[in-house]
């Protein structure tokens, strides 16, 4: 699920994209953290920022747990970020 791990550290934008991608279909917070391959502290910092800015929304889940899902606004950020990084990676090879 992690998009940008290639033997180097991810920058903040790459981490945000990984978190938004992990939350696309709606997941509990722990699964999003595992799918985006982040430590708890780093994940909480970025996740709460995405939640506060409306890029991720909280939904009612099952068994009283909350699911978190990438919002429409978050999907636009995700799409733009993926395009941006693909252009950068393509231009490095030229």
């Amino acid at each position: 699920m992690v998009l940008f791990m290639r033997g180097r550290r991810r920058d903040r934008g790459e981490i945000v994209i990984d978190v938004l991608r992990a939350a696309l279909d709606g997941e509990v917070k722990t699964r999003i953290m595992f799918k985006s391959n982040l430590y708890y502290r780093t994940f909480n910092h970025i996740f709460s920022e995405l939640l506060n800015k409306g890029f991720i929304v909280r939904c009612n889940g099952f068994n009283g747990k909350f699911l978190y899902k990438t919002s429409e606004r978050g999907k636009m950020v995700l799409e733009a970020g993926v395009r941006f990084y693909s252009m950068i990676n393509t231009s490095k090879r030229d």
Side-chain angles (χ1 to χ4, degrees), residues 78-91:
L78 175 61
E79 185 179 308
V82 168
R83 275 186 298 175
F84 172 76
Y85 282 104
S86 68
M87 286 183 355
I88 286 179
N89 290 336
T90 303
S91 65

Side-chain angles (χ1 to χ4, degrees), residues 6-59:
R6 291 192 188 99
R8 63 175 181 79
R9 293 180 71 149
R10 295 175 286 174
D11 65 27
R12 184 175 176 80
E14 292 169 331
I15 292 171
V16 166
I17 289 171
D18 285 337
V19 171
L20 290 173
R21 178 169 281 166
L24 267 176
D25 296 326
E27 288 284 355
V28 292
K29 208 171 166 182
T30 306
R31 290 294 306 151
I32 297 170
M33 182 178 76
F34 289 145
K35 283 182 174 182
S36 56
N37 196 28
L38 291 170
Y39 291 108
Y40 177 78
R41 191 172 180 181
T42 305
F43 172 76
N44 266 345
H45 179 72
I46 290 175
F47 185 82
S48 63
E49 193 173 315
L50 292 172
L51 193 60
N52 289 337
K53 290 182 178 181
F55 298 133
I56 291 180
V57 293
R58 185 172 79 172
C59 309

Side-chain angles (χ1 to χ4, degrees), residues 20 52-56 70-78:
L20 290 173
N52 289 337
K53 290 182 178 181
F55 298 133
I56 291 180
T70 304
S71 68
E72 290 303 315
R73 195 168 162 213
K75 288 177 185 176
M76 290 190 307
V77 170
L78 175 61

